[in-house]
Amino acid sequence: METNFNHEQSLALISEMIQRARNNVKRGSTYSMIYWGYVTAALAIANYVLMHTLADANKSFFIWFLMIPAAVIGVWVERRANRSNLVKTHIDKIAATVWTGFLISYGVAMVVIHVIAGYYEVYQLFTLITPVIVILIGMGQFISACIYRSKLWYAIAALSWTGAIACAFVSVDIQFLILAVTMILGFVIPGHVLNHQARQNHV
């Protein structure tokens, strides 16, 4: 049976879905956010240290292959978080799709950079990898801010984009430190803040 909604009812339904989606983020999705914040920051700092300690600094980049087992663990973290959400709304699914788009865009960007750098022997293009990652993260955060109507996420997106701009003025090793700071300030701390709010509000 089809139900017709008037304008006020439609707005109320949308507002309810947004509020429920916000609650779902607080209920456990932030654990995945915190996890990836710590993992990425730790690998970025490790890459910085290895660049300054290994005889061949180029070998330091192999540390990022640890992202593969980290991704397997991340799937478990995400599934555990999803089980804590009482109701998964259409807005939740849209938000998840945004980050799926981020992963696809990240993969495509890495392929393009490596192929062009190798084919034309313009290895300076590798300096774009970190700022491109941070730009894409900022895009995902900005779209999430629009979906959840969250001022916090708008601020986080602005922080990420600022970090990407800063990467243009520093060397590759310092870029990794910027990435680490961006992940801590943009993922880990907001994640803990949201969890704290959830406990206070008994969400």
Side-chain angles (χ1 to χ4, degrees):
M1 182 176 179
E2 186 175 338
T3 303
N4 294 321
F5 291 95
N6 58 34
H7 180 68
E8 289 75 14
Q9 289 173 325
S10 298
L11 289 177
L13 178 61
I14 293 172
S15 297
E16 180 184 353
M17 290 177 64
I18 291 173
Q19 185 57 47
R20 186 174 295 171
R22 285 176 176 171
N23 289 344
N24 282 348
V25 172
K26 292 180 180 180
R27 284 179 189 278
S29 296
T30 50
Y31 289 116
S32 178
M33 180 173 139
I34 293 170
Y35 170 77
W36 282 113
Y38 277 128
V39 167
T40 307
L43 291 179
I45 293 172
N47 200 156
Y48 173 83
V49 172
L50 291 173
M51 286 185 72
H52 291 275
T53 55
L54 293 178
D56 184 358
N58 291 326
K59 292 182 179 179
S60 66
F61 302 117
F62 288 109
I63 190 72
W64 292 100
F65 280 111
L66 290 177
M67 274 291 193
I68 297 174
V72 175
I73 299 173
V75 171
W76 177 81
V77 172
E78 184 67 27
R79 288 180 178 176
R80 181 184 177 187
N82 286 338
R83 284 198 298 270
S84 68
N85 297 339
L86 295 181
V87 179
K88 199 168 186 66
T89 67
H90 182 61
I91 291 178
D92 290 313
K93 295 176 182 178
I94 293 175
T97 303
V98 168
W99 291 103
T100 300
F102 159 78
L103 290 175
I104 295 172
S105 299
Y106 163 75
V108 172
M110 294 307 100
V111 170
V112 170
I113 290 175
H114 281 81
V115 169
I116 293 178
Y119 184 80
Y120 292 102
E121 297 184 353
V122 185
Y123 300 111
Q124 291 85 350
L125 284 178
F126 290 137
T127 61
L128 292 176
I129 291 178
T130 299
V132 165
I133 292 173
V134 179
I135 289 170
L136 291 175
I137 289 173
M139 180 195 69
Q141 293 167 335
F142 180 80
I143 297 175
S144 296
C146 295
I147 292 172
Y148 295 119
R149 298 181 182 178
S150 169
K151 293 181 180 179
L152 174 62
W153 280 101
Y154 281 121
I156 292 173
L159 173 66
S160 294
W161 286 332
T162 301
I165 293 173
C167 286
F169 301 96
V170 299
S171 57
V172 173
D173 58 336
I174 302 301
Q175 286 184 359
F176 288 122
L177 295 182
I178 291 176
L179 174 60
V181 171
T182 300
M183 297 306 294
I184 295 296
L185 297 181
F187 279 77
V188 175
I189 293 178
H192 284 301
V193 168
L194 289 172
N195 280 344
H196 177 69
Q197 290 176 348
R199 287 192 295 268
Q200 282 189 326
N201 298 329
H202 302 288
V203 176

